[in-house]
Amino acid sequence: MTKPTILSVDDDPEVLASIFRDLRSRYGRDYRVMRASSGAQALEVLAELALRARPVALIATDQRMPGMSGTEMLTQARRHAPDAKFVLLTAYADKDAAIQAINDVGLDYYLLKPWDPPADRLYPVIDDLLGDWRQAHPQDTGELRVVGHRWSKRSHEVKTFLTRNHVLYQWLEIDRDDEARRLSELADAGPEDLPLVLVPDREPLRAPSNLDLASALGLRTRAEQPLYDLCIVGGGPAGLAAAVYGASEGLRTVVIEREAPGGQAGQSASIQNYLGFPKGLSGADLAHRAAAQAERFGVEMLLARDVVGLETRGPVRAVRFDDSGDLEARAVVVASGVSYRRLEGPGLEELAGQGVYYGSSASEASQCQDDDVYVVGGANSAGQAALNFASHAKRVVMVVRGTALEDTMSMYLVAQIAATDNIEVRLRSSVVAARGAGHLSSITLCTQGAPPEEVATNWLFVYIGASPRTDWLGSSVVRDPRGFVLTGPDLLAASATTPWPLARAPYALETSVPGVFAAGDVRLDSMKRVASAVGEGAMAIHLVHRYLATA
C-alpha cells in the first residue's frame, strides 16, 4: 500500500517548519509528510493526491490564514480526502471557531498553540487519530475468507461476529462471485455447509457456530483458572467498566461475553454525548479501547460463550455454560444487557436475518448503497443508525410509534435528523407485516388515521424496546414482570415475597443473592445510557470489595 499522507498547513513559515519537522520525525517512516503554506495551496496538493489515488490520513491546519481560514479549507478538503482526520491548530482566541468546526466540518481535534513539548501535547493526539484511521483503512482484508449467500441468516451472523471482534475477512458471495463458487466446489460444500469459512492452515469451517469460529481464530473461549475473585457476565459498557476497575484494583477478573465486547452499544455508529469525545466515537471504537484497557490489567475475556445458569455453592457463585461446563467466582456482576424487542406480524419472524435485522453494526450501512432503508424505533440507537445509513442509502425512513422524536431521543440527534435531506420520519406508524421469498422484498406500514400501505424494500432494521437477558438467572434472583433485575432499595420493597437473607441491608446494586450484583441496562430503572452503564460498572466494584471484605 502507498504510504498515506499527512499534510500540515500554516502561513507562518516558522510555525510550518516546526510542525512539519515534528510530524516527519515521528511519522516519516510510515507516512508521507507534506506541507502547504496556504489554504489554496493545500487544496491543490489534495486534488493532486486524489487524482493519483493516494490516501490522506490526516490534515493539520492553522485556523487564522489570509485568504482562506483553516475551517474554510477543511470544508473543501473533505471532497478530496473524505476519510482524513482533521486537526485545527489554533490560538485560545479562536477556540469558539474550533468548537463550531466539530459540527461544521467534522473536526476531530483542536490543539492550542504552542504544542511544545510535542511528546506530551502533540504526539498522543496524533497517535490516537492515526490509530483510528489505520483501523478503518487496513492494508488488506486479511487472509480469512467467508463464502456465503447475501441473504443467509447464518452468513449475516458470521460476518457480524467477525466485524464486531475486529477480525479482517474477505466476503465472497456465492451467487455473484466466480471465486466463491470455485472455492465451494473445491471444498465439496453444499448449501447446508454455507457459510464456508476458510481459515489459513485449517480445514474449512462449515456453517460454524460462533464458538467454533472463535476457537479456530484463536480467540479465548476457555477459562484458565478454576476460581476467580470476580466473574462479569456481559461485555457491554457496564461489564467492561467493572472489568477495568476490578482488575486494576487487584481482583482476579473474568468477563464472559456471548458475542463481542461492546454489547448493544458496540453496534452504535456514533455516540456523540459521551464525556471526553467532542466529536463522538463509534460504539465499536469505544468497545475496542475498553477491552484493550481491561486486558492490559489482566482481565480474561471469554468470547462466544453463552451463560445459561447461576448457582450458589457455599461461599462461591457459579455460572453454567450451555455446553454443561461452569466457572466459579467469589462474586458475580450481572451485566448481560438487553436485546431489541422482536416485531410481531406475518412474515417478520420468518425473514429475520434475511432483510429484517435487530440492531446493526456501523459497517452494514455500505451494503445498502442507493437502496431504501427502513428503521423502526424512536430512541437514540435508532437515530444513530438512521444517520449512519443515510450516508449510503438513497432514502432512510424512520418508522416511529410516538408523536414526536423529541419525546424519546436526545435533541442533538433530532436536530441532525431534521437537517439530513434523505431521512424521512413517519410518526404514529408501525410495521405490521413483511413479505419476501428467501429475503425481504416489502413491508406493510400502518399509520394512525390512514389505511395500511405496502412499500418495497430489502432492508428493515429494528431498534425498539428492551428485553433484558436474564432468563439464565433462574428463580433465585428477583426480577420484575418484564425481567429486569431488582437491586438494593427496590429489592427491599419486594421483600414480602422474597425475604433478604442477611442481617445487613443489600448494597445498592446487589441482587437478592448476596454477592451477585447487577449493573447497566439489565437493572430495573437504569438510565439506558452508555455513561450511566459505565458508572454503574465502576460502582459495582466498590460494592464487590465491601462484600468480599465481610464474606
Side-chain angles (χ1 to χ4, degrees):
M1 180 180 177
T2 303
K3 278 186 177 182
T5 297
I6 295 175
L7 177 62
S8 56
V9 188
D10 202 302
D11 66 299
D12 186 318
E14 292 186 6
V15 175
L16 182 60
S18 176
I19 184 71
F20 177 77
R21 180 193 66 240
D22 289 342
L23 291 173
R24 188 171 63 175
S25 66
R26 174 81 167 193
Y27 306 107
R29 185 171 65 88
D30 299 316
Y31 296 85
R32 184 186 185 198
V33 182
M34 302 181 69
R35 55 184 158 181
S37 59
S38 69
Q41 185 183 22
L43 293 175
E44 291 176 2
V45 170
L46 291 169
E48 182 68 20
L49 292 171
L51 283 174
R52 296 177 180 273
R54 295 183 179 274
V56 179
L58 183 140
I59 303 171
T61 180
D62 182 37
Q63 167 62 5
R64 289 196 179 188
M65 296 186 293
M68 183 183 298
S69 70
T71 52
E72 290 171 339
M73 186 274 291
L74 290 176
T75 300
Q76 298 184 52
R78 188 62 82 188
R79 292 185 296 124
H80 304 304
D83 302 321
K85 298 295 183 180
F86 287 174
V87 177
L88 200 63
L89 308 174
T90 182
Y92 186 82
D94 297 321
K95 186 177 176 182
D96 289 345
I99 293 174
Q100 185 63 39
I102 294 173
N103 292 325
D104 292 346
V105 302
L107 187 70
D108 293 281
Y109 209 93
Y110 67 88
L111 286 169
L112 297 178
K113 295 180 178 181
W115 57 84
D116 287 331
D120 295 335
R121 302 185 61 186
L122 176 67
Y123 296 150
V125 172
I126 304 300
D127 286 350
D128 203 31
L129 294 175
L130 291 177
D132 290 347
W133 189 89
R134 282 288 191 185
Q135 185 177 325
H137 299 80
Q139 294 191 18
D140 55 60
T141 56
E143 297 180 323
L144 185 72
R145 291 172 292 178
V146 179
V147 178
H149 191 285
R150 184 186 192 192
W151 301 111
S152 159
K153 179 179 180 180
R154 185 58 196 145
S155 290
H156 177 262
E157 291 170 347
V158 165
K159 290 192 293 180
T160 299
F161 180 84
L162 293 173
T163 299
R164 294 191 61 200
N165 282 287
H166 304 280
V167 178
L168 299 177
Y169 68 93
Q170 182 182 3
W171 166 246
L172 300 170
E173 193 168 326
I174 196 72
D175 294 335
R176 299 183 178 185
D177 197 309
D178 291 339
E179 178 67 3
R181 289 189 286 271
R182 185 185 73 85
L183 291 171
S184 180
E185 291 173 3
L186 286 174
D188 193 24
E192 71 280 0
D193 296 321
L194 299 181
L196 190 68
V197 181
L198 303 174
V199 183
D201 302 321
R202 293 186 64 101
E203 288 295 313
L205 300 176
R206 302 169 188 271
S209 67
N210 285 352
L211 182 57
D212 292 337
L213 190 55
S215 299
L217 295 173
L219 303 178
R220 180 176 288 163
T221 61
R222 303 288 174 183
E224 295 184 357
Q225 301 181 40
L227 177 66
Y228 294 82
D229 295 320
L230 176 63
C231 172
I232 301 166
V233 181
L240 290 172
V244 167
Y245 281 92
S248 67
E249 295 171 10
L251 298 178
R252 291 172 299 169
T253 302
V254 62
V255 175
I256 305 169
E257 169 54 49
R258 70 175 190 171
E259 293 173 355
Q264 196 177 86
Q267 301 180 47
S268 176
S270 179
I271 303 170
Q272 298 183 48
N273 58 354
Y274 190 66
L275 185 66
F277 293 87
K279 189 191 173 185
L281 76 169
S282 71
D285 188 19
L286 177 62
H288 184 67
R289 292 167 183 262
Q293 189 176 19
E295 290 174 356
R296 173 193 163 207
F297 287 119
V299 173
E300 284 186 37
M301 190 84 63
L302 307 188
L303 297 176
R305 301 303 303 273
D306 205 5
V307 174
V308 298
L310 172 71
E311 296 179 5
T312 297
R313 299 175 181 173
V316 303
R317 309 291 177 258
V319 294
R320 291 187 286 104
F321 299 119
D322 56 355
D323 62 357
S324 75
D326 61 25
L327 181 152
E328 293 184 340
R330 297 170 63 206
V332 171
V333 171
V334 178
S336 45
V338 297
S339 57
Y340 292 115
R341 185 163 54 82
R342 312 289 280 194
L343 286 178
E344 296 182 359
L348 288 163
E349 187 59 34
E350 292 81 355
L351 291 169
Q354 297 175 298
V356 178
Y357 303 105
Y358 292 86
S360 65
S361 60
S363 61
E364 288 182 81
S366 60
Q367 301 179 41
C368 308
Q369 189 73 39
D370 299 326
D371 289 344
D372 285 347
V373 174
Y374 285 76
V375 172
V376 181
N380 280 14
S381 55
Q384 291 159 352
L387 289 165
N388 184 43
F389 285 120
S391 62
H392 297 273
K394 179 176 67 176
R395 183 174 65 128
V396 177
V397 180
M398 296 191 67
V399 182
V400 181
R401 185 180 294 274
T403 58
L405 280 181
E406 293 86 344
D407 295 341
T408 52
M409 188 180 294
S410 296
M411 284 305 301
Y412 77 91
L413 286 171
V414 175
Q416 290 178 19
I417 289 169
T420 305
D421 292 338
N422 63 332
I423 296 181
E424 172 188 337
V425 180
R426 295 188 58 156
L427 300 172
R428 298 183 296 277
S429 300
S430 58
V431 175
V432 297
R435 293 179 61 187
H439 67 86
L440 180 68
S441 60
S442 68
I443 59 175
T444 301
L445 296 176
C446 274
T447 300
Q448 186 176 326
E453 175 188 2
E454 186 170 356
V455 295
T457 184
N458 296 136
W459 307 100
L460 177 67
F461 294 90
V462 182
Y463 305 83
I464 59 170
S467 299
R469 296 172 174 171
T470 57
D471 289 346
W472 61 276
L473 290 170
S475 59
S476 59
V477 174
V478 176
R479 305 187 291 282
D480 79 345
R482 294 180 299 162
F484 289 97
V485 178
L486 274 62
T487 58
D490 292 325
L491 186 63
L492 289 179
S495 62
T497 55
T498 306
W500 170 248
L502 302 182
R504 66 165 175 84
Y507 298 127
L509 301 181
E510 197 167 19
T511 72
S512 55
V513 177
V516 176
F517 300 82
D521 291 355
V522 75
R523 199 176 61 81
L524 179 64
D525 288 336
S526 63
M527 281 183 60
K528 308 297 185 291
R529 290 288 187 269
V530 173
S532 63
V534 169
E536 288 191 9
M539 178 181 173
I541 299 307
H542 169 68
L543 302 175
V544 165
H545 280 299
R546 292 178 64 184
Y547 167 77
L548 293 177
T550 58

